[in-house]
Amino acid sequence: MLVAPKQIELREEPEPQAPPGGIVVRVRAALTDGTDLKTYRRGHPKMPMPTRFGHEFSGDVAAIGAGVTSFAPGDAVMCAHTAPCGECFWCAREQEELCETIMPSMILGAYADTIAVPKRVVDRNCFLKPPDVSYAEGAFLEPLACVAHSIRALAPVRGSIVAVIGNGAFGILHALLLQRQGVDAMLFGRRPERVALARELGLQSFDVHERSVRDVISERSQGRGADAAIECTGSSEIWESAPSVVRRGGRVSFFAGLPAEARVSFLAARLHYDGVQLLAPFHFRPADVRVAYELTAARVLPLPRLITHAFRLSEIVDAFATLDAGEGMKALIEP
Ligand SMILES: [Zn+2]
């Protein structure tokens, strides 16, 4: 439980019951992510404290609820933590990430021995984990779904130049997927260990302390600017500067969210006269979870390389203290 900013408590609670149509998963691997760290530091509007905590996980089915036929106790599974209702105004318009009840019904509490997964998630966003995929790799299902959604929304053309700004796990995942699609992806960030890791993973990786995004992109595009830029830092300064690195007619995608009260401004002429388009994809649809499942099952991404630390669940306080100190990228939490 996250009881207050920077205050995590381990509590003994009765094992959850499987809801009708749902399952209980014995967590084998959970992963930390940037949203968790932001929530740990300052809380989150969608997660009033005290709150269960953790949303990237995989594990084994411990119990099934009435009517479940697609999974059986003992199955290894990987699940997202949300699913749309399939019936509301937004679901009917294929904007399932905006489903009326997708956020209120999300499940938190992957930093636990067990987690109850409701019917809607079981029906649409849970998959059997192939035996050669580790539990830690399986826990990437949800972040990969977010990235698959983001890239589908941007729809970059093969051979186009895309600047990915921010070299945390989400920036690296974007660059890896873009590169697989034949996009000329360039990843920018500041922490030297992340710049080096991205290079080891075969990415075009640049340290913004050495050269600015604009200089590198300008040189690589004969001064035109990138065909697209993806903001993966969650900093309002970077949001505001991102439109300046794309070409006339280019697109900017704001992947990393800002606090609810944040305001940003852009030069209007860049949008109107230069035809720069802005988009800000959030969350994912079941189709994106399917893409994430296929990528994970095919084991085509170096997912374990993004895990920099591993802790037992009993060490969860240390895990977040470590991340809060600016160390590492993703931590693996194992009960
Ligand atoms: Zn809905």
Side-chain angles (χ1 to χ4, degrees), residues 260-308:
E261 68 281 7
R263 286 175 183 275
V264 288
S265 64
F266 308 109
L267 203 57
R270 278 256 71 196
L271 275 54
H272 188 81
Y273 297 108
D274 288 348
V276 170
Q277 297 180 330
L278 309 182
L279 58 158
F282 169 65
H283 210 60
F284 48 80
R285 302 173 188 174
D288 305 309
V289 185
R290 164 66 63 174
V291 169
Y293 164 72
E294 283 163 3
L295 285 165
T296 309
R299 304 192 74 213
V300 291
L301 298 171
L303 300 176
R305 297 292 306 277
L306 305 189
I307 299 171
T308 53

Side-chain angles (χ1 to χ4, degrees), residues 14 65 76 181 188 268 330:
Q181 295 184 9
F188 296 89
K330 282 182 104 63

Side-chain angles (χ1 to χ4, degrees), residues 194-223:
R194 291 183 178 180
V195 174
L197 170 65
R199 280 183 192 151
E200 284 170 28
L201 300 180
L203 297 171
Q204 304 184 74
S205 167
F206 302 89
D207 188 331
V208 294
H209 288 312
E210 289 167 14
R211 294 189 66 200
S212 73
V213 179
R214 208 195 296 220
D215 282 356
V216 173
I217 292 294
S218 179
E219 181 185 294
R220 297 290 287 268
S221 63
Q222 291 83 49

Side-chain angles (χ1 to χ4, degrees), residues 3-289:
V3 297
K6 302 202 179 191
Q7 199 181 332
I8 297 175
E9 277 180 23
L10 280 164
R11 289 189 188 165
E12 287 291 340
E13 289 197 352
E15 294 245 327
Q17 300 287 310
I23 60 177
V24 172
V25 174
R26 183 158 302 284
V27 177
R28 299 291 299 273
L31 293 170
T32 63
D33 90 332
T35 303
D36 290 345
L37 182 57
K38 277 194 292 188
T39 305
Y40 172 81
R41 285 173 171 161
R42 64 179 191 222
H44 192 290
K46 305 277 183 203
M47 301 180 222
M49 290 179 276
T51 177
R52 291 167 192 277
F53 200 31
H55 64 278
E56 300 178 1
F57 67 99
S58 71
D60 298 322
V61 176
I64 60 172
V68 172
T69 55
S70 45
F71 299 104
D75 283 347
V77 291
M78 44 211 248
C79 305
H81 69 307
T82 67
C85 75
E87 292 166 359
C88 71
F89 177 94
W90 290 272
C91 283
R93 283 155 184 78
E94 291 182 21
Q95 294 181 308
E96 295 147 303
E97 74 278 17
L98 301 176
C99 168
E100 265 177 0
T101 52
I102 194 167
M103 287 296 133
S105 65
M106 77 176 158
I107 49 168
L108 297 170
Y111 306 139
D113 294 309
T114 53
I115 184 168
V117 180
K119 179 179 187 328
R120 66 161 74 187
V121 175
V122 169
D123 288 349
R124 302 187 73 181
N125 287 344
C126 260
F127 295 87
L128 286 171
K129 181 185 76 61
D132 59 335
V133 172
S134 69
Y135 288 100
E137 289 171 297
F140 276 92
L141 183 72
E142 193 269 349
L144 271 176
C146 294
V147 176
H149 179 69
S150 163
I151 291 177
R152 189 169 49 73
L154 185 66
V157 175
R158 203 178 170 78
S160 60
I161 296 173
V162 177
V164 179
I165 308 168
N167 59 1
F170 276 121
I172 291 177
L173 288 173
H174 270 93
L176 286 167
L177 288 196
L178 289 166
Q179 195 177 59
R180 277 183 61 75
Q181 295 184 9
V183 170
D184 193 4
M186 293 176 212
L187 180 67
F188 296 89
R190 48 179 98 224
R191 293 203 211 168
E193 71 279 11
R194 291 183 178 180
V195 174
L197 170 65
R199 280 183 192 151
E200 284 170 28
L201 300 180
L203 297 171
Q204 304 184 74
S205 167
F206 302 89
D207 188 331
V208 294
H209 288 312
E210 289 167 14
R211 294 189 66 200
S212 73
V213 179
R214 208 195 296 220
D215 282 356
V216 173
I217 292 294
S218 179
E219 181 185 294
R220 297 290 287 268
S221 63
Q222 291 83 49
R224 277 192 309 270
D227 297 294
I230 305 176
E231 205 290 336
C232 293
T233 73
S235 137
S236 54
E237 291 77 24
I238 308 291
W239 271 57
E240 293 187 331
S241 68
S244 68
V245 306
V246 300
R247 64 170 169 83
R248 296 173 66 234
R251 308 184 87 191
V252 181
S253 176
F254 301 99
F255 175 81
L258 298 178
E261 68 281 7
R263 286 175 183 275
V264 288
S265 64
F266 308 109
L267 203 57
R270 278 256 71 196
L271 275 54
H272 188 81
Y273 297 108
D274 288 348
V276 170
Q277 297 180 330
L278 309 182
L279 58 158
F282 169 65
H283 210 60
F284 48 80
R285 302 173 188 174
D288 305 309
V289 185

